[in-house]
Amino acid sequence: MTAVRTVDVALIGLGNVNRNFLAILETKAARLRSDYGLAFRVVGVADSSGVALQPGGFDPGDLRRRKEQGAHVRDLAGYRAHETPAGLLAILACDLVLEASPVNLVDGEPGLSVVRTALGRGIPVVLANKGPLVLAYQELHALAAAHGAALGFSATVCGALPVINIGQRDLVAADVISLRGIFNSTTNFILGEMAAGRAYADALAEAQRRGIAETDPSLDVEGWDTANKLVIVANSFLGMKATLADVSVEGITRVTTEQLQTELASGNTIKLLAIAERQSETCKLRVAPTVLSREEFLGHCDSWEMGIEIHSDLYGRMYYKIWEREPLPTAAAMLRDAVNILRPRR
Amino acid sequence: MTAVRTVDVALIGLGNVNRNFLAILETKAARLRSDYGLAFRVVGVADSSGVALQPGGFDPGDLRRRKEQGAHVRDLAGYRAHETPAGLLAILACDLVLEASPVNLVDGEPGLSVVRTALGRGIPVVLANKGPLVLAYQELHALAAAHGAALGFSATVCGALPVINIGQRDLVAADVISLRGIFNSTTNFILGEMAAGRAYADALAEAQRRGIAETDPSLDVEGWDTANKLVIVANSFLGMKATLADVSVEGITRVTTEQLQTELASGNTIKLLAIAERQSETCKLRVAPTVLSREEFLGHCDSWEMGIEIHSDLYGRMYYKIWEREPLPTAAAMLRDAVNILRPRR
């Protein structure tokens, strides 16, 4: 159909998400050419060991396999000693940055500097990493607007569930009256295991054994990952300039197996919810373990599912959830943002 | 923020949907200016009595109230005797057409000629009326592409639930493996009443009394409204050039109160489902009453709700539903399409 445009991409972070992005490029290259007129070429990469570039493009399959076999970027041809990811973005000729380095809520690095540098050069950025948005949502969007560079982040909330796109594109001119969501599947899995009789510590250990919880699970179980996503939601389609300081946060560490089983016996359950409630111009934001009827939509949103319900003045009551267990859908959500930024407008 | 652009609009059909669109213009005009830089001005209207135009713009509130008080377009200043809707679109200077005239599956008129004429002049069209798409999806999209005119239709499937947008914008590069949906709330309401013990005829009469079922309810109860929406889904994001002839259709007229109550007793229910199942390059399409567990997502999608579940190779399993009882959300979905077509690209 359309002429094929080659898109030179920098991948910042080569963990599960960007490795799955490489896997998608391997399987969907022909489809991306024929349906969207795009050919992605990975010209720069970064991990914790350093940065490397190949203007002719890395082979996606080879790059993915080497990382999975334990190689580091410093082992790759094109490795640049003493270069930082932001330093790479300051000089690299590329059309798109995919930022999926680890969440860092202290200073947002290395992601925050990468995003600032790329947007400052007018290069569009797609984020899976929530850190830069949580720390600097308004600054980064102002920077993007000033330089005419798109900033995609639909992969930062509920994996591949297009919560951000629905809020920004589909709730046109609406006032959100209330919103509730289950944004963290690690805690949702742990609560499910506890409802089945497991103690909190055992359920957490099981989540870690399966590799879905970090060795330091505090971001998940203390509710901060959920709060991060609520901050992004509040800024992106609740019309707020919110930060973490505006969210009252309680995690699941004080929920007991006994509480869960008592609720279960009376047809209820306990879920860790992100909640936004309209109060005139702004919304009250909180994260808290909440008793729900098993009959309710979110009371039925179990283990590997994440979901959201949105009640607005124009669009009735909407309910969305997704079941995903691997990082593939989140990587696909980054591809979705990239294609929607780069595809010719219909 | 941005400069405000005046958008001259023609409203074809002044039933519930376009009257609610007028109501939204009354309440959201300032918001549409400030957030989207758009000022909508209704310069042409048509109903079954004829067409009228006012280059300076009709007053939305006055127009809506007069229609609700029983006035017809032929009673309006600017009425054009002997002019057809398509004739109006052939000469009217306007930037957008909102087509919400009644569904006509025989020849698609008057909607089909309106859409052809507008797109042929490069004027973007937003549809709530499914008829033109069911009869001529491929032709109209080719016409739109040839004249660089956008064609929005997210209001045609599940009211304000953005099923079409999710399929076209959010499932980028995905292959849909299977899809099941409840697309018709009239039949969903009737089945709910029957599950509660009512006979089919009484449940249908109740739906008609509430004004949610047509005097001739055959489109709903015989499954054709659901099939229409499945055809639109298949063409818009299942990669098929499908027509009604490709859908095997069974309605709810043979479902009995006894069957429903027997299923209920064993924890199940019966829903009228639209089903698409991938078979290599194409999908098998059917509409049929289907037994579901009450525990399943769609088994829990009741009365005023419509919903869909989509299983794809890249985006996991997605579940979407909406609760809406009035035409307001469908009118808002037309506004959404209009704004997304006309707003400056981010």
Side-chain angles (χ1 to χ4, degrees):
Chain A
M1 42 171 264
T2 43
V4 174
R5 169 185 175 189
T6 298
V7 178
D8 286 340
V9 183
L11 299 187
I12 309 306
L14 284 176
N16 270 329
V17 172
N18 270 341
R19 287 206 305 276
N20 273 273
F21 182 83
L22 291 167
I24 294 172
L25 292 188
E26 294 172 66
T27 56
K28 297 282 187 173
R31 175 75 169 275
L32 289 165
R33 276 197 181 76
S34 62
D35 291 10
Y36 306 99
L38 300 172
F40 291 90
R41 183 168 66 173
V42 178
V43 296
V45 295
D47 67 7
S48 55
S49 78
V51 308
L53 57 91
Q54 268 185 33
F58 292 91
D59 174 78
D62 175 65
L63 181 57
R64 178 182 58 79
R65 282 185 295 273
R66 291 192 61 184
K67 275 295 289 187
E68 283 165 1
Q69 289 154 10
H72 299 284
V73 165
R74 66 166 176 265
D75 309 318
L76 301 175
Y79 169 63
R80 293 298 182 97
H82 316 303
E83 186 64 273
T84 65
L88 177 69
L89 264 302
I91 54 111
L92 183 66
C94 70
D95 307 303
L96 178 71
V97 176
L98 297 186
E99 215 295 323
S101 63
V103 173
N104 169 351
L105 293 178
V106 179
D107 62 9
E109 297 305 337
L112 185 52
S113 294
V114 165
V115 180
R116 283 183 177 136
T117 306
L119 293 177
R121 288 178 59 202
I123 302 170
V125 175
V126 171
L127 289 163
N129 172 14
K130 293 172 286 295
L133 291 177
V134 172
L135 295 177
Y137 186 100
Q138 295 295 331
E139 175 210 329
L140 294 177
H141 279 75
L143 191 61
H147 296 273
L151 178 57
F153 53 98
S154 82
T156 60
V157 178
C158 294
L161 194 67
V163 170
I164 300 301
N165 295 349
I166 286 163
Q168 294 192 318
R169 265 172 347 205
D170 295 319
L171 296 180
V172 166
D175 288 310
V176 172
I177 296 161
S178 67
L179 172 155
R180 303 193 305 171
I182 294 173
F183 291 169
N184 179 277
S185 56
T186 301
T187 46
N188 210 39
F189 171 83
I190 292 172
L191 290 172
E193 292 291 298
M194 290 169 73
R198 269 209 158 113
Y200 169 77
D202 301 344
L204 173 57
E206 172 69 16
Q208 289 170 314
R209 195 183 61 70
R210 296 186 181 214
I212 55 170
E214 309 298 329
T215 321
D216 170 9
S218 54
L219 266 186
D220 292 326
V221 297
E222 287 168 17
W224 293 105
D225 177 71
T226 299
N228 290 341
K229 292 162 177 171
L230 184 57
V231 164
I232 294 171
V233 163
N235 281 275
S236 60
F237 67 91
L238 298 183
M240 298 174 66
K241 293 180 164 58
T243 70
L244 279 176
D246 301 307
V247 189
S248 101
V249 181
E250 178 187 346
I252 63 166
T253 54
R254 284 183 294 176
V255 178
T256 67
T257 301
E258 293 61 36
Q259 285 174 311
L260 265 158
Q261 297 200 300
T262 309
E263 293 300 341
L264 219 55
S266 46
N268 298 328
T269 185
I270 299 174
K271 297 291 190 181
L272 183 64
L273 295 189
I275 300 172
E277 283 159 341
R278 173 70 52 189
Q279 295 176 328
S280 70
E281 285 312 288
T282 175
C283 289
K284 183 159 176 291
L285 306 177
R286 60 200 173 88
V287 173
T290 308
V291 174
L292 299 173
S293 162
R294 287 287 292 164
E295 292 298 301
E296 286 183 74
F297 173 73
L298 289 175
H300 234 74
C301 189
D302 292 328
S303 66
W304 303 104
E305 295 179 333
M306 292 180 286
I308 187 168
E309 46 184 59
I310 305 173
H311 179 197
S312 70
D313 60 341
L314 290 184
Y315 297 91
R317 296 170 188 270
M318 294 174 159
Y319 304 84
Y320 304 109
K321 70 176 180 177
I322 189 164
W323 179 94
E324 58 178 78
R325 201 160 50 181
E326 314 85 6
L328 177 68
T330 295
M334 295 187 84
L335 175 72
R336 161 177 80 206
D337 287 355
V339 167
N340 283 326
I341 288 168
L342 298 163
R343 77 204 284 183
R345 188 172 195 173
R346 280 246 182 66
Chain B
M1 39 170 266
T2 44
V4 174
R5 169 184 175 191
T6 297
V7 178
D8 285 340
V9 184
L11 300 186
I12 308 306
L14 284 174
N16 271 329
V17 172
N18 270 341
R19 287 205 306 275
N20 273 273
F21 181 83
L22 290 167
I24 294 173
L25 292 188
E26 295 173 63
T27 56
K28 298 282 187 174
R31 175 75 170 277
L32 289 164
R33 276 197 182 75
S34 62
D35 292 9
Y36 307 98
L38 299 172
F40 291 91
R41 183 169 64 174
V42 178
V43 296
V45 295
D47 68 7
S48 55
S49 78
V51 307
L53 57 92
Q54 269 186 31
F58 293 91
D59 174 78
D62 176 64
L63 181 57
R64 179 182 57 80
R65 283 185 294 273
R66 292 193 60 185
K67 273 298 287 188
E68 284 167 0
Q69 288 155 10
H72 299 283
V73 164
R74 65 165 177 265
D75 308 318
L76 301 175
Y79 169 63
R80 294 296 182 98
H82 317 303
E83 186 64 273
T84 65
L88 177 69
L89 264 302
I91 54 112
L92 183 66
C94 70
D95 307 302
L96 177 71
V97 177
L98 298 186
E99 217 292 324
S101 63
V103 173
N104 170 350
L105 293 178
V106 179
D107 61 10
E109 296 306 337
L112 186 52
S113 294
V114 165
V115 180
R116 283 185 177 134
T117 306
L119 293 178
R121 287 179 59 203
I123 302 170
V125 175
V126 171
L127 288 164
N129 173 13
K130 294 172 285 295
L133 290 177
V134 173
L135 295 175
Y137 187 100
Q138 296 294 331
E139 175 210 329
L140 295 178
H141 278 76
L143 191 61
H147 293 85
L151 179 56
F153 54 98
S154 82
T156 60
V157 178
C158 294
L161 195 68
V163 170
I164 300 302
N165 295 350
I166 288 163
Q168 294 192 320
R169 250 174 4 202
D170 296 318
L171 296 180
V172 165
D175 288 309
V176 172
I177 296 160
S178 66
L179 171 157
R180 302 193 306 171
I182 294 173
F183 291 170
N184 180 277
S185 56
T186 301
T187 46
N188 210 39
F189 171 82
I190 291 172
L191 290 172
E193 292 292 297
M194 290 169 71
R198 264 209 161 113
Y200 170 76
D202 302 343
L204 173 56
E206 172 68 18
Q208 288 171 316
R209 195 183 59 72
R210 296 186 181 214
I212 56 170
E214 309 297 330
T215 323
D216 171 9
S218 54
L219 265 184
D220 293 324
V221 298
E222 287 168 17
W224 293 105
D225 176 71
T226 299
N228 290 341
K229 292 162 177 171
L230 185 57
V231 164
I232 293 171
V233 162
N235 280 275
S236 60
F237 66 91
L238 298 183
M240 298 174 66
K241 293 181 164 59
T243 69
L244 280 176
D246 301 306
V247 188
S248 100
V249 181
E250 179 187 346
I252 63 165
T253 54
R254 283 182 295 176
V255 177
T256 67
T257 302
E258 293 61 37
Q259 285 174 310
L260 265 159
Q261 298 200 299
T262 309
E263 293 301 341
L264 219 56
S266 45
N268 298 328
T269 184
I270 299 174
K271 299 290 189 181
L272 183 64
L273 296 190
I275 301 172
E277 282 159 342
R278 173 70 51 189
Q279 295 176 327
S280 69
E281 285 314 287
T282 174
C283 289
K284 185 159 174 290
L285 305 177
R286 60 198 171 88
V287 173
T290 308
V291 175
L292 299 173
S293 162
R294 286 288 291 166
E295 292 296 303
E296 285 184 74
F297 173 74
L298 289 176
H300 235 73
C301 190
D302 292 327
S303 67
W304 303 104
E305 295 178 334
M306 293 180 285
I308 187 167
E309 45 183 62
I310 305 173
H311 179 197
S312 69
D313 59 343
L314 290 183
Y315 297 91
R317 296 171 188 270
M318 294 174 158
Y319 304 84
Y320 302 102
K321 71 175 179 177
I322 189 165
W323 179 94
E324 59 177 78
R325 200 160 53 180
E326 313 84 8
L328 177 67
T330 296
M334 295 186 84
L335 175 71
R336 161 177 81 206
D337 287 355
V339 168
N340 284 326
I341 287 168
L342 298 164
R343 77 203 286 184
R345 189 173 195 174
R346 280 248 180 66

